[in-house]
Amino acid sequence: MIYVEVNFCVAPRDRAAALDCLTKEAPVMRALSGNRGCRVLIDPTAEGAVTLLHQWDDLASLDAYRSGPLFAQVGGVLRPMMTGAPSTVVYEATPVG
């Protein structure tokens, strides 16, 4: 299982638009092959902070998303709102026990 955490900041006035974009696209992402879920989080103490968490069956599914039209479309909306570069961390879950 692959987990992805994307953190970015937007101007406080743009956060509602960023959340709207992610909320509308979340069901489309969840329907992609290999996607196991997606969550949008906001930091209540940092007005422009947004975190996107998503889960994938494998790296191939994640790579297909990253090279596909949804990633380009969402990025085209969000990137102009970002006040800096996003930070992305990819985790691979290993069963324990």
Side-chain angles (χ1 to χ4, degrees), residues 3-94:
Y3 294 86
V4 181
E5 176 183 345
V6 182
N7 296 290
F8 62 93
C9 289
V10 297
R13 69 180 178 279
D14 291 331
R15 187 158 77 173
L19 294 175
D20 184 58
C21 171
L22 291 168
T23 300
K24 286 179 180 174
E25 297 305 330
V28 179
M29 183 185 295
R30 286 186 198 110
L32 294 174
S33 177
N35 185 272
R36 295 294 183 127
C38 141
R39 301 273 187 276
V40 180
L41 309 172
I42 58 170
D43 182 342
T45 64
E47 291 185 57
V50 178
T51 297
L52 175 63
L53 301 172
H54 40 115
Q55 183 179 359
W56 298 89
D57 286 335
D58 50 41
L59 284 173
S61 299
L62 172 60
D63 290 341
Y65 160 67
R66 286 179 165 170
S67 63
L70 180 62
F71 184 83
Q73 178 184 347
V74 172
V77 172
L78 295 178
R79 272 190 226 97
M81 290 186 232
M82 292 180 186
T83 59
S87 166
T88 301
V89 181
V90 177
Y91 302 95
E92 184 172 4
T94 305

